[in-house]
Amino acid sequence: MDTTQTVSLSLEESAGLVSSSLRHAGFSEGHVRTLTDTMVAGERDGCAAHGLYRTLVCVHSLRSGKVVGDAEPVVHDQAPGIVRVDARGGFSPLAFDAGLPHLLDKARTGGLAAMAINRCVHFSALWPEIERLTDAGLVALACNPSHAWVAPAGGRVPLLGTNPFAFGWPRTDGQPYVFDFATSAVARGEIELRRRAGQPLPEGVGIDADGQPTTDPQAVVEGGAMLTFGEHKGSALSTMIELIAGPLIGDLTSLESLQHDAGAGASPYHGELVLALDPRRFLGADAAAHQARAEAFLAAFAGSGARLPSQRRYQARQRSLAEGVHIPANLHAELLALLD
């Protein structure tokens, strides 16, 4: 099929197609709702690597027995500033949903709180979760390991995950300042989309099985490795995420997650760490004044000609709300096939 052909869908049609596919595959209604919201948000904001394509990944993970489609998360009050959520082998969005009210309450009470999500299967971008916290007026950070697809700087053996890291800052007027990026040079989903489309990768993204630089996504996926961004800097950040969202919360590293997968090609199985900070508890009566200083700082970016991270996503969101989204025709056909 011509990979340049596309199909136009409204956001409502997108949600209906994803929900029907997930429900038909055997996911419970809680997972259908949270997974659909997450994937449609990705497509809506122009992040195709985290959009409707991920429906195929979710269904494959279920069929391969690597995710529990009807898992009900269990929330534990771990400590005054810590909530722990056992996802019980299910996808992470429902577990995040279950723990969020407790995280908000603890952050507002103590000024700083953490949520550890354990035994979750994870595929998604972190910014939809971050926006839930910035909408509540909180500063937020989140990170997680993945599968060991990435070689540390100077190495050729994949030991690290793509290990995304996200941050959010609430703003007094308009959309929050949010960034969300993999510590690998590109997201794993980007490599898969390029492979599916028969497109080469940019330079500096991956190496082949012999440790040589390559732009062939198939060579990276089969025996090669992805690379970190910024060489040793991305490698150090990725290693930090392995530790604070792995052993610190009693969960798996990316290498252990890949071992658990045992060749199934399913989504990673690990934990996630989410931090929430309440400016009002840090600053008291001075919160508004310091928020104004932050606004002045962020406003200076526009005057300098720079683009704040997340601005492009918000622009894509406005277009999608008005015009819907456009997905490859072959992807649309694969999604429809899930209903057979």
Side-chain angles (χ1 to χ4, degrees):
M1 180 180 290
D2 183 356
T3 57
T4 64
Q5 294 179 345
T6 62
V7 173
S8 299
L9 298 169
S10 69
L11 295 181
E12 292 76 14
E13 289 170 334
S14 299
L17 179 56
V18 172
S19 295
S20 297
S21 300
L22 296 173
R23 192 174 293 114
H24 184 74
F27 285 99
S28 66
E29 285 304 312
H31 286 289
V32 169
R33 172 179 56 82
T34 52
L35 290 171
T36 298
D37 288 348
T38 300
M39 288 185 278
V40 172
E43 199 71 45
R44 177 201 66 196
D45 282 16
C47 302
H50 292 289
L52 303 194
Y53 146 73
R54 292 284 178 163
T55 309
L56 305 175
V57 179
C58 291
V59 172
H60 171 74
S61 296
L62 182 64
R63 290 175 175 172
S64 63
K66 294 299 182 179
V67 67
V68 181
D70 60 354
E72 288 295 330
V74 178
V75 179
H76 301 280
D77 189 347
Q78 183 78 7
I82 304 173
V83 57
R84 184 184 294 275
V85 186
D86 182 356
R88 302 176 68 200
F91 275 114
S92 58
L94 186 61
F96 178 88
D97 215 42
L100 180 60
H102 305 273
L103 179 65
L104 295 177
D105 181 64
K106 289 178 179 291
R108 288 166 176 157
T109 300
L112 172 64
M115 176 163 64
I117 301 176
N118 292 115
R119 297 203 299 161
C120 70
V121 181
H122 192 96
F123 73 92
S124 57
L126 293 171
W127 57 258
E129 298 176 357
I130 291 292
E131 286 192 15
R132 300 279 295 279
L133 293 164
T134 55
D135 286 347
L138 301 177
V139 176
L141 301 94
C143 60
N144 62 262
S146 62
H147 279 334
W149 291 316
V150 184
R156 53 188 287 184
V157 177
L159 299 176
L160 303 171
T162 54
N163 297 7
F165 179 80
F167 170 82
W169 180 274
R171 303 191 66 180
T172 54
D173 185 21
Q175 302 285 6
Y177 167 60
V178 176
F179 70 73
D180 177 5
F181 56 78
T183 49
S184 52
V186 297
R188 182 70 173 190
E190 180 64 28
I191 289 182
E192 177 60 16
L193 289 180
R194 296 257 185 163
R195 186 191 67 80
R196 288 166 58 87
Q199 298 173 346
L201 298 170
E203 298 282 351
V205 167
I207 54 177
D208 63 19
D210 296 321
Q212 297 302 308
T214 182
T215 59
D216 180 1
Q218 195 70 30
V220 174
V221 170
E222 294 186 355
M226 301 170 65
L227 298 175
T228 60
F229 82 88
E231 299 180 343
H232 64 284
K233 295 180 180 180
S235 187
L237 284 174
S238 186
T239 302
M240 177 193 73
I241 291 167
E242 292 282 349
L243 296 172
I244 65 173
L248 178 65
I249 65 171
D251 223 304
L252 303 186
T253 64
S254 295
L255 191 58
E256 292 168 329
S257 174
L258 191 60
Q259 291 167 348
H260 170 82
D261 185 72
S267 294
Y269 177 70
H270 49 68
E272 178 183 349
L273 178 64
V274 184
L275 303 179
L277 300 84
D278 188 349
R280 290 160 294 191
R281 293 294 285 173
F282 273 83
L283 298 167
D286 296 330
H290 290 295
Q291 182 71 39
R293 294 177 54 241
E295 285 298 314
F297 166 68
L298 293 173
F301 277 70
S304 73
R307 176 180 61 83
L308 279 173
S310 68
Q311 286 182 337
R312 186 164 51 192
R313 279 199 305 105
Y314 295 141
Q315 291 167 356
R317 182 179 302 183
Q318 290 303 311
R319 288 195 302 270
S320 298
L321 289 170
E323 304 170 8
V325 297
H326 309 279
I327 66 172
N330 61 334
L331 172 58
H332 184 251
E334 289 179 273
L335 294 174
L336 290 176
L338 292 178
L339 298 172
D340 293 341

